[in-house]
Amino acid sequence: MLDEKILLLLDCNIYKYNYTKHCFQIRNYFKVDNDSLIQELKEILKILEENQIKYKIEKDNTILVHK
């Protein structure tokens, strides 16, 4: 759902884009500190908003992408 141009803007170390489910998911909860998680989450949301892409954040911090 996201085009490659937008995906190239995202430098994700914690999250990984799932092409099948059209969402960003955390790769490994055990190796994530809260500050890094929040910073990356903010960056992803900023880019999604700049490109007018709708999203929803689930309870497990998965970011579902809608067009």
Side-chain angles (χ1 to χ4, degrees), residues 21-43:
K21 296 180 181 179
H22 304 295
C23 65
F24 290 93
Q25 296 174 308
I26 296 175
R27 293 181 192 181
N28 187 343
Y29 277 102
F30 300 108
K31 294 184 178 180
V32 175
D33 66 275
N34 289 336
D35 292 335
S36 299
L37 176 68
I38 291 169
Q39 189 62 33
E40 189 161 306
L41 177 65
K42 285 180 180 179
E43 192 62 34

Side-chain angles (χ1 to χ4, degrees), residues 21-24 54-58 62-66:
K21 296 180 181 179
H22 304 295
C23 65
F24 290 93
K54 295 180 183 178
Y55 60 87
K56 179 180 178 186
I57 301 174
E58 299 289 311
T62 297
I63 306 168
L64 293 174
V65 178
H66 307 286

